Amino acid sequence: MRLIFINHCHPDMPHVCGLRFGRFADAMAARGHQVVLLTENYPRDATTVTAAQLTDGLATHDWSTPYVLACSLIGHENARRAREGRLATPWRQIAIGRSYLINNGMFADWQSGAGDYLPVLASEFRPDAIWATFGNTDAWAIARALARRAGCPWVADFKDNWTAFIPPGLRNLMAHRFRDGAHMTVLSEGHCDEADPWFSVMKTVIYSGVDAIDFKPVDSAVFRITLAGSIYDRDRLTALVSGIEKWLASDARAKVDFRYAGNDTEMVMAATASLDGKCRRTMLGYIDNASLAEIQAASNVNLYVHNERCIFHHKALELVAAGRPIISCPDETRETRNVAAEVGASLFVCADPQEVTDALKVIAEGVLPVPSPENLKTFTWAHRAEALEAVFERVTGGWS
């Protein structure tokens, strides 16, 4: 099939927002499909192709990998200033409402940048289907415009929280405007529940995947505790660290290494100052997914801070796939607990510091079951792409 994926975040961005569509584009190309990934340019000043260059690029591209079509931002300065917080109230609210009502989203400048390419994509690439993700409604607006021009179905992907991202007075209106999608994929069962009140279209859960992990024995000389991802809430981090500190006071092992990987280094440094002299602290900053997966697979325990605004944490999938015990603080959804249980992963949901301490005591004994590598293969992008391919078969009626 010839497929166009639309995601605002470029796959090279050091952020999870670029991960799902970038990896699925790779996986679908590996299955023999021709995939164009339309996105914003990254970095912002990167050179973009002209419409004429796109025609030549599509004709000569090696389709064993996706064609990444990065678009510059054009015009709509007020909307840009509003989303960056550079407009004072009430002018910011006015600009936001105007951008949604007139341009169907807050990134009309990205829509304008993509606009020049749509005629070429429709006439030269001739997509069989289009898949666009809701990190913002602008991706859907581009998909709808391109689908109408190309005469093909478009599929909406729902990976974020509608009620958290769309202003209250606009939720029904924006859902109504995008009711013509042929199908909807959702990131999780929780996302399906979130989408149902707004969208009546048929839905399919397509979990994101993980990269294949090379499992190695854990170093028995050092007990490694790895915290990863966004922190969201300082108090929750403090509770997690308090539990670690209490466990360290009760455990006689000689070497413990606490590591943090993510963008909140300053917050974690400050919150873990009390661990100085009790264990080694290593701040890794943001690291690429492959390196992080290797670190997590070699950890005695992996930790993360749960955020209820995130209906389903992608990091939970990555940690289950790493095959090591996991601590989530202070909560986790029933769906995530079930995903972990189905493959035999040890997930400890700890509501307070004492529960963190108790969980670490159990984990340190080293007798917990380990998920089988065979079960964890179902978590890979390659395996998840089979279900995504079935969605495109359904909306296109198959292909010869």
Side-chain angles (χ1 to χ4, degrees):
M1 285 183 285
R2 293 182 301 277
L3 304 169
I4 296 179
F5 290 3
I6 304 175
N7 180 30
H8 191 192
C9 296
H10 194 285
D12 290 343
M13 280 186 68
H15 192 279
V16 70
C17 68
L19 182 67
R20 178 171 169 86
F21 267 46
R23 289 291 198 275
F24 269 129
D26 291 338
M28 292 297 285
R31 294 181 68 83
H33 305 290
Q34 296 182 11
V35 182
V36 172
L37 175 58
L38 188 154
T39 181
E40 184 187 329
N41 62 331
Y42 180 82
R44 186 68 62 79
D45 59 355
T47 302
T48 56
V49 300
T50 65
Q53 289 170 330
L54 174 60
T55 299
D56 294 338
L58 293 172
T60 60
H61 184 67
D62 175 3
W63 292 104
S64 63
T65 61
Y67 183 100
V68 179
L69 175 57
C71 310
S72 298
L73 304 182
I74 298 176
H76 301 278
E77 180 61 26
N78 265 356
R80 193 179 312 173
R81 292 172 65 194
R83 67 177 184 254
E84 293 173 356
R86 293 189 288 120
L87 282 181
T89 305
W91 307 114
R92 182 170 184 269
Q93 283 78 9
I94 293 172
I96 290 171
R98 179 183 175 86
S99 191
Y100 274 109
L101 291 172
I102 296 176
N103 299 302
N104 293 306
M106 279 303 298
F107 292 86
D109 46 359
W110 177 47
Q111 292 187 50
S112 294
D116 286 345
Y117 302 115
L118 302 192
V120 175
L121 291 172
S123 63
E124 303 297 327
F125 186 65
R126 302 186 305 281
D128 294 303
I130 299 164
W131 189 41
T133 192
F134 169 65
N136 53 55
T137 52
D138 302 82
W140 288 357
I142 296 169
R144 185 181 59 182
L146 179 54
R148 289 173 177 174
R149 184 181 288 269
C152 71
W154 74 278
V155 176
D157 182 56
F158 192 92
K159 71 174 181 63
D160 280 310
N161 190 327
W162 188 256
T163 54
F165 278 59
I166 303 298
L170 296 170
R171 291 167 188 162
N172 279 313
L173 174 64
M174 298 309 296
H176 180 75
R177 287 186 178 180
F178 294 107
R179 67 190 183 282
D180 60 336
H183 197 85
M184 178 175 281
T185 57
V186 290
L187 179 63
S188 69
E189 294 288 352
H191 284 82
C192 194
D193 293 339
E194 169 67 14
D196 275 343
W198 310 101
F199 303 96
S200 60
V201 67
M202 183 180 292
K203 302 171 185 70
T204 300
V205 175
I206 302 290
Y207 287 112
S208 288
V210 299
D211 296 323
I213 295 174
D214 181 19
F215 293 98
K216 297 177 182 177
V218 175
D219 183 357
S220 59
V222 181
F223 190 89
R224 290 189 168 88
I225 302 172
T226 301
L227 172 66
S230 298
I231 300 303
Y232 307 112
D233 186 290
R234 193 182 302 271
D235 291 340
R236 294 178 179 187
L237 173 62
T238 299
L240 190 58
V241 173
S242 296
I244 296 171
E245 188 174 6
K246 187 174 181 180
W247 171 73
L248 286 169
S250 66
D251 193 87
R253 70 187 66 247
K255 293 183 179 180
V256 176
D257 185 6
F258 173 89
R259 297 173 292 184
Y260 171 66
N263 291 320
D264 294 324
T265 297
E266 290 185 10
M267 186 190 302
V268 176
M269 277 289 288
T272 58
S274 61
L275 300 183
D276 268 352
K278 302 169 185 175
C279 70
R280 178 182 176 184
R281 288 189 300 156
T282 305
M283 300 294 143
L284 302 171
Y286 180 88
I287 57 178
D288 64 87
N289 285 324
S291 299
L292 179 59
E294 186 173 340
I295 288 169
Q296 290 170 332
S299 296
N300 295 84
V301 57
N302 289 299
L303 287 62
Y304 68 97
V305 176
H306 175 260
N307 177 16
E308 57 273 9
R309 283 171 61 92
C310 297
I311 298 172
F312 188 85
H313 280 285
H314 177 78
K315 71 184 74 173
L317 290 177
E318 294 175 329
L319 295 182
V320 169
R324 305 301 182 195
I326 308 160
I327 292 178
S328 169
C329 180
D331 201 0
E332 202 27 289
T333 64
R334 176 58 55 190
E335 181 177 9
T336 297
R337 298 178 197 224
N338 288 342
V339 167
E342 284 171 5
V343 295
S346 298
L347 170 63
F348 294 81
V349 179
C350 301
D352 55 46
Q354 185 58 53
E355 290 189 1
V356 173
T357 301
D358 294 342
L360 286 169
K361 287 179 180 178
V362 173
I363 293 166
E365 292 175 0
V367 294
L368 292 171
V370 177
S372 75
E374 285 301 312
N375 285 342
L376 294 178
K377 283 182 181 178
T378 63
F379 280 60
T380 63
W381 293 105
H383 187 273
R384 302 292 198 206
E386 295 179 16
L388 180 60
E389 184 180 66
V391 169
F392 296 130
E393 285 184 311
R394 179 182 302 163
V395 299
T396 61
W399 72 94
S400 57

